[in-house]
């Protein structure tokens, strides 16, 4: 069985959900790059750097998984941010003493996220509304100060793809405490119902993109068209596998 796939010097981990319990106790930066974000690595050095330096990179993109199978005969398991959070929230129900620090895009989502986590039985939930981050010269000293004081077990970056991973790497570099940074982006909103109604069946059959496109075509049509750049990237790249 393939354990890792190296694409553009990014080490993707082919993790099965049965290994989740071994995975969740690890500390570091976990990223779930979507197809459109992956397609941007050739012209976004900051994003590319954040993915390449992550501790665990998951196969979030069903499109990328299909391209690997079609053009490179490489078979790996899709492990989306949705699936990870589904398992993570079940883990939290059994580990209610864990502390969660959410970095949210706005007040509405912040309230929804806190309510959802509290309903799981988690007593120590902290929320921080992210400012409008600039990719160049990335910095948020206020956030660092709060996290260092709280010392959470997990940090959930619930902001958009392309910035959340850069934020995650910034935290990894600047925090001295050992914690787990989960760059699952908007995936928590599928559980709070603030975004399109994605469920296990939709995720299993790689249809998350389709549901999001129906519910917000103006935003996601352009985003998914950009992901088509992945096709030549996969075809013309030398991709290595590790058993």
């Amino acid at each position: 069985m393939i354990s890792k796939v190296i694409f553009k010097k990014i080490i993707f981990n082919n993790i099965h959900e049965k290994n989740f319990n071994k995975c969740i106790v690890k500390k570091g930066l976990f990223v779930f790059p979507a197809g459109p974000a992956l397609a941007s690595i050739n012209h976004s050095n900051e994003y590319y750097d954040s993915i390449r330096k992550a501790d665990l990179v998951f196969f979030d993109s069903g499109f990328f998984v299909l391209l690997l199978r079609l053009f490179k005969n490489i078979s790996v398991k899709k492990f989306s941010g949705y699936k990870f959070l589904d398992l993570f929230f079940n883990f939290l129900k059994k580990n209610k003493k864990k502390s969660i620090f959410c970095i949210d895009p706005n007040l509405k989502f912040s309230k929804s996220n806190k309510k959802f986590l509290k309903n799981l039985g988690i007593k120590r939930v902290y929320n921080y509304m992210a400012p409008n981050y600039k990719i160049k010269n990335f910095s948020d000293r206020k956030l660092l100060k709060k996290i260092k004081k709280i010392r959470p077990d997990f940090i959930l970056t619930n902001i958009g793809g392309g910035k959340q991973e850069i934020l995650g790497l910034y935290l990894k570099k600047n925090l001295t405490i050992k914690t787990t940074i989960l760059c699952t982006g908007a995936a928590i909103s599928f559980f709070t119902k603030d975004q399109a109604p994605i469920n296990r069946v939709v995720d299993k059959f790689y249809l998350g993109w389709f549901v999001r496109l129906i519910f917000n075509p103006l935003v996601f049509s352009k985003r998914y068209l950009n992901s088509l750049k992945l096709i030549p990237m996969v075809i013309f790249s030398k991709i290595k596998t590790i058993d």
Side-chain angles (χ1 to χ4, degrees):
M1 178 182 172
I2 295 172
S3 64
K4 299 180 187 296
V5 173
I6 304 174
F7 170 69
K8 299 280 188 179
K9 298 183 179 179
I10 301 169
I11 302 174
F12 286 81
N13 299 269
N14 188 25
I15 299 172
H16 195 279
E17 61 183 85
K18 66 181 180 182
N19 301 124
F20 175 82
N21 288 333
K22 293 180 180 179
C23 174
I24 197 60
V25 297
K26 296 180 180 180
K27 303 297 181 182
L29 174 61
F30 296 9
V31 297
F32 301 78
L38 266 182
S40 73
I41 60 175
N42 286 339
H43 60 266
S44 178
N45 292 331
E46 292 82 6
Y47 177 76
Y48 173 62
D49 198 45
S50 68
I51 297 297
R52 195 168 56 84
K53 293 180 179 178
D55 296 286
L56 281 178
V57 184
F58 291 78
F59 284 104
D60 177 79
S61 171
F63 185 50
F64 183 50
V65 168
L66 291 173
L67 291 178
L68 288 175
R69 192 173 303 170
L70 181 62
F71 294 111
K72 299 295 182 179
N73 197 29
I74 296 173
S75 182
V76 293
K77 294 285 290 184
K78 179 176 180 285
F79 204 133
S80 66
Y82 174 88
K83 179 188 284 188
F84 186 93
L85 285 186
D86 194 21
L87 295 168
F88 179 59
F89 294 147
N90 284 326
F91 166 83
L92 290 179
K93 290 177 184 177
K94 301 172 185 177
N95 296 270
K96 297 179 181 180
K97 292 184 178 180
K98 298 294 185 182
S99 55
I100 314 294
F101 190 101
C102 291
I103 303 173
D104 303 312
N106 55 54
L107 182 59
K108 178 188 174 183
F109 281 28
S110 185
K111 288 180 177 179
S112 294
N113 296 342
K114 187 166 189 173
K115 181 180 179 181
F116 178 82
L117 291 168
K118 287 283 187 178
N119 286 339
L120 294 180
I122 308 303
K123 294 182 179 179
R124 293 190 293 161
V125 179
Y126 307 90
N127 296 78
Y128 177 84
M129 276 190 290
N132 186 19
Y133 290 121
K134 295 180 180 179
I135 291 178
K136 301 290 184 181
N137 301 316
F138 200 100
S139 180
D140 192 338
R141 295 294 173 186
K142 181 180 177 182
L143 174 61
L144 289 177
K145 186 177 179 180
K146 283 182 175 291
I147 293 175
K148 288 176 181 178
K149 182 179 179 180
I150 294 169
R151 304 178 68 86
D153 295 299
F154 297 98
I155 299 172
L156 283 177
T157 65
N158 303 318
I159 63 175
K163 285 188 178 181
Q164 59 162 326
E165 295 87 353
I166 298 169
L167 170 60
L169 182 60
Y170 171 79
L171 294 176
K172 178 184 175 181
K173 287 181 175 179
N174 290 280
L175 289 174
T176 54
I177 64 170
K178 290 185 177 180
T179 186
T180 305
I181 305 164
L182 304 176
C183 293
T184 48
I188 191 173
S189 295
F190 302 141
F191 295 88
T192 63
K193 309 304 180 185
D194 283 323
Q195 283 208 28
I198 290 177
N199 53 39
R200 292 175 186 175
V201 175
V202 169
D203 184 67
K204 179 180 179 180
F205 291 101
Y206 300 11
L207 293 173
W209 66 273
F210 183 67
V211 175
R212 298 180 89 180
L213 190 61
I214 290 175
F215 276 79
N216 200 337
L218 291 177
V219 171
F220 290 102
S221 57
K222 182 179 179 180
R223 188 176 299 180
Y224 291 133
L225 281 174
N226 286 335
S227 68
L228 296 178
K229 296 176 184 176
L230 263 181
I231 297 174
M233 289 169 66
V234 170
I235 292 175
F236 297 111
S237 293
K238 186 176 181 181
I239 301 175
K240 298 180 180 179
T241 62
I242 299 174
D243 294 330

